[in-house]
Amino acid sequence: MKPIRVFLKERSYDIHVTDSFNNLPNLLTKFQFHKFGIVISHGCILTRFGKQLIAPLKQSGWDIHTITVPESEKSKSLDMAKYLYKQISGISQMRNPVIFAFGGGVVGDLAGFVAATYRRGVEYIQIPTTLLAQVDSSIGGKVGVDLSFGKNLIGAFYQPLLVLDNTTLLKTLPKRQIQSGMSEVIKYGVISDRKLFQFIENNLQDCLNLESNVAQFIVERCCRIKAKVVSKDEKDSTGIRVILNFGHTLGHALEAATGYKKFTHGEAISVGMAFACRLSTNLGVLKQAESNRIVKLLEKVHLPIAVKGVSRRDVMKAMSLDKKFIAGKSRWVLPIMIGKAIVKEELPQKAILSALEHHIFS
Ligand code: GLY
């Protein structure tokens, strides 16, 4: 499959959607660096897929080392970054390694952050292993770690040299992770790709099984959208990239209000998308029938569209905190039809509260 280009002048790079790692050494030959790499991953991922990734690299003369981190959002911390700096220094002996971020969103964000900051920046490669990371978090260079009082508060825009999505890894993902990833895939359909949305509606079971052809089709389709958006607004500064945050204003608040424990990111944004659809229909910008289709698809994937046992007040508080971090304004991505969305700032509090009543129950 032809690579998908992210156009960022001298920081441009390709996303390769493929079914093996065998061609990776070949893809790396155009970069003139020493063949010295450190794979940052989780132990279980290395056990399952490490050999597939590392053997072809070793065969082409790469000196490869591995470092593992625990499989938890807690790994996205400054303490863990410090641990990695120390490990990398010990292995590298002043050589600059190429970092391979081999895992889901946590590994991608953490390893990317370490690559951005170790010795003022070393090259890194994103090799995402979850659906969510393949279609979203590995692309676009948002790297970072969390602080105790907020997610992604320390970070950078630091682009990888390339992204390699091996879709065969997705087949063994736990069901909940596939559903969570599908939430982001549906997001892309709603904001920008009606055909993708229809494809998921018509081939839902195949999409959830992530069989090779279908997985490649949906991953490629989403990566094309993300690449196009990031190419237009790398630093999230012109209001274009914010479209990727459909469902995220409420989704992030829901995650924060529940301590990042109760819901996966995909589940939280599913509630957020259903909520944003309701807001859109209430504001008269989205037809009820279109909203129903979106909500129905989320339900068919067994994603939540409303949650119990969560305080509405906590969610509102988390949303107002989030607002502070985006120049004092809350931003809402509202679908106007399946395949097209707009961004609105500062919706009336009354509209938000009345829609929230249908999605958050204590
Ligand atoms: N996941 C949203 C973004 O990359 O901007």
Side-chain angles (χ1 to χ4, degrees):
M1 192 179 289
K2 226 175 126 217
I4 301 159
R5 190 88 173 144
V6 182
F7 291 99
L8 297 170
K9 298 197 180 116
E10 68 284 358
R11 293 182 311 288
S12 298
Y13 58 97
D14 286 332
I15 305 163
H16 299 267
V17 181
T18 177
D19 57 5
S20 115
F21 293 121
N22 292 342
N23 196 34
L24 180 59
N26 199 22
L27 296 174
L28 297 178
T29 48
K30 71 172 182 190
F31 306 107
Q32 300 296 318
F33 37 49
H34 304 294
K35 290 178 166 180
F36 166 49
I38 298 181
V39 177
I40 298 178
S41 190
H42 300 308
C44 64
I45 289 177
L46 284 184
T47 309
R48 233 178 300 156
F49 309 120
K51 206 163 157 214
Q52 287 185 44
L53 171 71
I54 294 169
L57 288 166
K58 284 196 168 165
Q59 271 157 24
S60 22
W62 277 78
D63 175 22
I64 295 285
H65 299 254
T66 58
I67 310 175
T68 59
V69 298
E71 219 178 335
S72 152
E73 178 74 26
K74 285 203 182 105
S75 288
K76 263 181 68 177
S77 67
L78 283 172
D79 281 346
M80 191 56 75
K82 219 160 124 187
Y83 165 79
L84 290 175
Y85 298 139
K86 204 165 161 206
Q87 296 293 313
I88 293 169
S89 296
I91 298 168
S92 304
Q93 309 290 332
M94 303 309 281
R95 291 174 294 168
N96 271 1
V98 178
I99 304 279
F100 294 77
F102 189 37
V106 167
V107 164
D109 287 8
L110 170 71
F113 175 73
V114 166
T117 45
Y118 181 70
R119 300 190 75 183
R120 299 199 182 90
V122 294
E123 304 291 6
Y124 81 113
I125 288 156
Q126 287 277 16
I127 308 183
T129 59
T130 63
L131 180 57
L132 197 142
Q134 291 199 354
V135 299
D136 191 41
S137 60
S138 63
I139 307 159
K142 279 189 181 174
V143 295
V145 293
D146 305 335
L147 293 180
S148 58
F149 46 91
K151 248 185 122 171
N152 296 324
L153 285 186
I154 309 287
F157 287 97
Y158 191 65
Q159 302 296 341
L161 277 185
L162 63 87
V163 179
L164 193 147
D165 287 345
N166 179 346
T167 56
T168 63
L169 308 193
L170 304 178
K171 257 185 260 169
T172 56
L173 284 176
K175 208 167 150 196
R176 195 171 176 201
Q177 273 200 38
I178 294 178
Q179 290 162 346
S180 190
M182 278 309 291
S183 189
E184 291 280 2
V185 175
I186 292 170
K187 172 195 88 177
Y188 284 110
V190 175
I191 60 169
S192 175
D193 191 341
R194 194 171 176 91
K195 284 208 171 113
L196 172 64
F197 187 92
Q198 281 165 340
F199 179 86
I200 306 166
E201 280 183 322
N202 296 334
N203 302 277
L204 186 59
Q205 207 43 54
D206 292 339
C207 289
L208 293 172
N209 291 341
L210 288 170
E211 283 307 330
S212 195
N213 284 348
V214 173
Q216 293 222 1
F217 173 79
I218 56 179
V219 169
E220 193 214 331
R221 210 86 192 186
C222 296
C223 289
R224 280 198 190 284
I225 300 167
K226 178 106 192 212
K228 206 166 150 191
V229 171
V230 170
S231 298
K232 286 186 188 154
D233 182 15
E234 180 189 12
K235 303 251 163 97
D236 216 349
S237 56
T238 64
I240 294 172
R241 189 164 172 166
V242 75
I243 204 86
L244 299 171
N245 279 351
F246 170 48
H248 285 57
T249 310
L250 177 62
H252 280 156
L254 191 54
E255 284 181 284
T258 52
Y260 301 97
K261 286 194 192 101
K262 206 170 161 119
F263 306 106
T264 64
H265 178 66
E267 288 163 353
I269 68 158
S270 172
V271 180
M273 289 191 283
F275 169 75
C277 284
R278 184 180 299 277
L279 270 179
S280 297
T281 46
N282 287 354
L283 294 167
V285 295
L286 177 70
K287 286 194 181 124
Q288 187 67 54
E290 293 277 275
S291 173
N292 292 349
R293 259 176 86 181
I294 298 168
V295 171
K296 194 164 155 203
L297 188 55
L298 295 170
E299 285 179 320
K300 279 191 168 171
V301 177
H302 299 290
L303 284 160
I305 53 155
V307 290
K308 267 194 188 145
V310 181
S311 143
R312 229 171 267 152
R313 193 191 295 176
D314 289 351
V315 171
M316 286 301 285
K317 199 169 146 204
M319 273 202 282
S320 68
L321 274 179
D322 203 38
K323 179 172 144 167
K324 280 201 197 125
F325 293 118
I326 43 174
K329 286 179 181 154
S330 55
R331 289 187 296 196
W332 299 92
V333 181
L334 302 176
I336 54 171
M337 60 183 277
I338 294 168
K340 208 168 170 37
I342 52 169
V343 180
K344 281 250 182 250
E345 283 186 350
E346 293 294 16
L347 294 178
Q349 181 91 337
K350 214 171 132 204
I352 294 165
L353 280 172
S354 71
L356 211 54
E357 279 173 18
H358 297 266
H359 296 274
I360 310 280
F361 300 95
S362 48

